[in-house]
Amino acid sequence: MPTWIIKAFLQKVISYLPYSESINYYCQRYVTKGLNLQEAYFARKLTECQHFYHDYGKYGKQPRKSFNVLELGTGWHPIIPIGLYLCGAEEIFTIDIVNHLRPESLKEVLVFFSDWAERGQLSKLLPIKDETRIARLQSLAMQKNVTDPRQLLQRLNIKVVIADVCRWAGSLGRVDLIVSNDVLQHIPPQVISDIFNTLRNMASDTSIMIHNINMIDHYSLTDKNIAPFNFLQYSDNYWKIYNNSLHYQNRLRMSDYSNIHNKTGWKILSTEIMKGNIADIDKIKLNNKFTAYPKEDLLIIRGWIVSKIK
């Protein structure tokens, strides 16, 4: 049986268990080692953080030096919010429907930031606005015991919120920059629309929203015998067999995300795309659900979308 199917079924079984999120974390952290922070991953996230900051300055009507941020999807490693803090963000809210933060993961992130600052690598990727922020971060990295990640991140002007953004966002007020990084592909289409409608009410005519979206079959990251387009072979009903709450993939393509932006009142200002190998898509038999899409659309494996309210 293919490795990816075994993983899908194991995660589906775990998803029905009590404390499924914790079990999934410990499996990935200590069994598969998939959550151990790596140098290449950290560097990529810093580059993406710099990209967020650059595009806010480029496309923001009146970009502020002391800007506030809302990040959708905190995840396991809060590299993006810490990076934006170093870029000068005054207040950062990072929201997730599930609390993925763990003391050991946050400690890893802080140590990486501190080490990179010591080696002079951090300033090569991020426009550091205040050296005292580096000093504060390094002080936190030296703490031996990190017991409450949320409390510690507050000392970096980062407020972690565990909630449904559609129910919580009304308490925030206006926000300058909205970002998500490798998140939208894990959210059902209708929920994305609901979120975008909510975010529109939080944005002003100077606000910018940026999403970095990974559109590959994520099982191809661990099973090298399948292509990034593997999941385009299956109908919605068949894909439900493999999809699960711990590893949900919506299979939307770039055109779908563009349509959601337009329908929810967001004007796209800029897009960047990365394409996969055409030979990989030619090897599979597309399900009827995807045959109506242009091949150029199906080939997109990563999309970067910058928008503002219409």
Side-chain angles (χ1 to χ4, degrees), residues 135-146:
R136 186 182 305 169
L137 187 151
Q138 289 179 315
S139 175
L140 295 177
M142 291 175 64
Q143 291 189 10
K144 291 185 178 180
N145 297 314
V146 176

Side-chain angles (χ1 to χ4, degrees), residues 40 77 104 110 116 121 124 154 183 193 195 233 252 254 303:
H77 298 106
E104 57 271 26
L110 293 173
W116 276 51
Q121 293 294 105
K124 293 179 181 179
Q154 282 191 335
V183 170
S193 294
I195 291 172
Q233 302 177 82
L252 295 180
M254 190 69 168

Side-chain angles (χ1 to χ4, degrees), residues 185-199:
Q185 67 267 13
H186 299 302
I187 303 176
Q190 183 55 54
V191 178
I192 297 176
S193 294
D194 294 341
I195 291 172
F196 280 16
N197 281 322
T198 299
L199 296 176

